[in-house]
Amino acid sequence: MYFYCSKCKKNYPINTRSYKCECGGLFKLFKDPSEILHNSVSLGEVETPLLKMKINKLNLFLKLEQFHATGSFKDRGAFMMINQLKNVGIREIVEDSSGNAGAAMAAYAAAAGIKASIYVPESTSPGKIKQIKAYGAAITKVDGARDKTAAAVLEAVTKAYYASHVYNPLFFEGTKSLAYEIYHQLHEQVPNYIFVPVGNGTMLLGLYYGFEEIGRLPKLIAVQSDHCKPLYQKIHNLPEHQITPTIAQGIAVGQPQRMDEILLAIKNSQGDVITVEDESILYAQDILARQGMYVEMTSAVAVAGALQFFENGKPDNYQVIVPLTGRGMQ
Ligand SMILES: [Zn+2]
């Protein structure tokens, strides 16, 4: 198993201190399918439930990703990355996150006995900061937008390994398991649509790579906030837009590093990018909670997107999956 550059194909070992190729290309992971990974670090990973639910008139399958140990799907990536980093002897990591990825990395690092330092935007919710600190990770708050946090962490990377959930392909190797679980839970069927909140695209790309391995792709519908919609602008050939604050913090990413990869995944799946207003997100969060499902606003984005997309109804035989990315308790 090793990293290779998506542009010039140069190889790098997993424990490289570079986070991307010297030519500027992003890393991809090469893994021999016969290679069995040794995963000694565990927080009790589970197959998350796939629950049928009717929201307004729309029949959906909700994939309850809030059932993971730290409360979000980011545990899939953290589980994979921390285990492999431990196997190659990494003792100290830094990561930047708007919350959930930081919590997942901090928790798995704690379980692995790896020292973690997490950079978060100033606007990160106090509950998430408290959670990350509780795992024993050091916190550095960075002023300004999410992208500034990423820039700050790069300046700080010296002796620690940059365990980025955006740059490091081990993270996507982990989120891929979501595709296999959905396929398995639908009795070896690929659903018609999956709605995904997209900022850096960690879930969407994991789903894409997973279903690509399975051999058939569902239509991947990326849902962005109307206040921060770089993918929407790009795919519809619109000019760059002024980013304004949104309640969907987890996807407020102005310049996704893997923009091209995300757009290719959406095109290859015959999917689309749609946007939702804050009011629709609040509505979706509320209507879910009134049916017993309390999730964070970034999770509600995908539900808002599905309700909007199928506003005029959907064919009964369409299987629509909406992963609820993270729980609401913070
Ligand atoms: Zn390269």
Side-chain angles (χ1 to χ4, degrees), residues 5 7-10 21-25:
C5 172
K7 279 190 185 156
C8 75
K9 311 297 174 205
K10 186 178 171 188
C21 182
E22 57 196 13
C23 82

Side-chain angles (χ1 to χ4, degrees), residues 102-103 106-107 110-111 118 126-139:
I118 312 290
K128 279 197 179 131
I129 290 176
K130 195 172 169 188
Q131 184 188 5
I132 295 170
K133 273 190 181 161
Y135 296 128
I139 288 265

